[in-house]
Amino acid sequence: GRRPAILVSYLMIGGFGLATAAATGPVMMITFRFFVGVGCGIGFPSVYSLIPEVCPTHHRGTVSSLMIGFMPLGELYAAVGVLLIDPNLEGTSGHCELGYEPSIIHVVKEGAAYRSRCSWRTLCEWGALPAFVFFTFSFLFLYESPHWLASQGRTEEVEKVLKTITVQNRMTSVLVPRFLTTASARESMRAQQVTFAQAVAILFSSVYFATTVFMMFAHFTKDFCVFGLAYVFPQFFAAHGTYSPGIELTITASLALPGVVLAVLIMRWDGIGHIP
């Protein structure tokens, strides 16, 4: 299902992210961050699958764009943490409103001595906090995909989830599509399920080959630009010596937000973003 994978993802990102603050060396740090990445790998496919399964067709593009928009917002959150904890990334007690206080984990080991410096450990803890917040909200308010439940023959749960969605959207009547709940529909959905190898073969078939290749290059270009600029900007700012690292990170994260707004506007444009 989608819901368990998303919950596990948040737990791994938050748990291993928090554990990073206890790292005693590079190997331990890399190991913990590796499992943070595993958590991201578990969560992303589930979210990308859930959105088209629960969103109306004319809202899917907008919701997907907004979801991607949370990535630069996350970067902005991290940048604000740097500004509050150690804006100059000097690891000293200067300019460390939050970092001056003991780190949650290491105060147990080092006691009062930990107060004498600002720590990267506090930044790791700051970065792990949102995952626990989102885990709580998901645990309380995220429901399983009705489409996936129907494919498993769990009819009663399908109706329960759809009724909840109906109430939350303030609709006057409960709409339970019969194609989700009839036995023939369930058998048809099971017959349509494919293996990973079959899915890859479909993506590179003559029907979807051009689209698949285009999207691969689009994602490559996006990641190359985003992460490439993440390396270029610090060097650019350092050469000019104008801003602190905290300000630089804030500027870099903020530059992505106009693109998200533009993407949402394009997706709302009937001529490009979606077919009404």
Side-chain angles (χ1 to χ4, degrees), residues 1 8 82 97 107 111-112 117 120 127-128 142 159 190 203-204 230 241 262:
V8 169
V82 172
E97 290 79 0
V107 67
R117 65 182 183 275
W120 55 267
L142 180 66
E159 295 181 358
R190 290 195 185 96
L203 288 174
F204 286 95
L262 179 61

Side-chain angles (χ1 to χ4, degrees), residues 20-31:
T20 304
T24 57
V27 174
M28 186 178 293
M29 167 69 80
I30 292 173
T31 301

Side-chain angles (χ1 to χ4, degrees), residues 10-11 13 45 53 103 135 141 213 221 234 255 276:
Y10 282 136
L11 281 179
I13 295 172
E53 291 175 352
S103 178
F135 171 82
F141 303 112
V213 173
T221 304
L255 289 175

Side-chain angles (χ1 to χ4, degrees), residues 76-172:
L76 189 59
Y77 167 84
V80 170
V82 172
L83 284 173
L84 294 173
I85 296 169
D86 189 2
N88 296 307
L89 295 179
E90 295 173 338
T92 67
S93 59
H95 307 291
C96 298
E97 290 79 0
L98 291 178
Y100 185 77
E101 295 300 322
S103 178
I104 298 173
I105 294 177
H106 272 254
V107 67
V108 178
K109 297 182 178 179
E110 303 182 38
Y114 199 76
R115 290 179 176 271
S116 63
R117 65 182 183 275
C118 210
S119 177
W120 55 267
R121 302 184 192 277
T122 310
L123 289 172
C124 291
E125 293 163 358
W126 173 269
L129 291 179
F132 293 109
V133 174
F134 286 122
F135 171 82
T136 302
F137 275 94
S138 298
F139 184 81
L140 296 175
F141 303 112
L142 180 66
Y143 300 95
E144 186 56 87
S145 164
H147 187 278
W148 183 84
L149 290 173
S151 70
Q152 304 300 308
R154 295 158 63 173
T155 307
E156 293 183 1
E157 294 179 67
V158 173
E159 295 181 358
K160 181 179 179 181
V161 171
L162 290 177
K163 288 178 181 178
T164 302
I165 293 175
T166 300
V167 172
Q168 291 179 344
N169 286 275
R170 299 179 181 179
M171 298 175 64
T172 57

